[in-house]
Amino acid sequence: MSRMGAINNKSVAEESLRQAENKLKSLNRVLSKLDSDDFGICLKCKNKIPYVRILIRPQSLLCVNCPQYLF
Ligand SMILES: [Zn+2]
């Protein structure tokens, strides 16, 4: 494999690792809320997040109406 190819593969691997770590962090944050009243409540507008959304994106801490740039 060429040196450039190796570098590209490395950055692709690092990028997916970073995304996985971010997802893990969000999931841990959600897990830490499981026992609290905040679980299933949008961090921004304090509306209830539909369970379907939590099932699809369990790491989501915001409802569909709020911009997702924070997470
Ligand atoms: Zn919201």
Side-chain angles (χ1 to χ4, degrees):
M1 185 189 293
S2 73
R3 188 170 152 72
M4 270 318 284
I7 290 172
N8 280 341
N9 275 352
K10 186 166 180 280
S11 55
V12 168
E14 280 171 351
E15 176 60 20
S16 28
L17 179 64
R18 218 173 46 81
Q19 283 174 9
E21 280 173 343
N22 279 341
K23 185 170 181 180
L24 181 63
K25 263 185 233 164
S26 304
L27 283 171
N28 277 331
R29 203 157 34 190
V30 170
L31 268 182
S32 70
K33 284 173 165 289
L34 269 180
D35 288 332
S36 81
D37 294 339
D38 288 348
F39 180 68
I41 304 291
C42 173
L43 279 187
K44 210 173 169 79
C45 68
K46 309 292 179 197
N47 279 329
K48 256 191 174 310
I49 302 173
Y51 285 120
V52 176
R53 178 166 170 75
I54 298 175
L55 288 176
I56 296 171
R57 282 194 59 192
Q59 75 271 33
S60 178
L61 297 173
L62 298 175
C63 72
V64 275
N65 298 319
C66 289
Q68 303 292 311
Y69 58 86
L70 280 176
F71 299 99

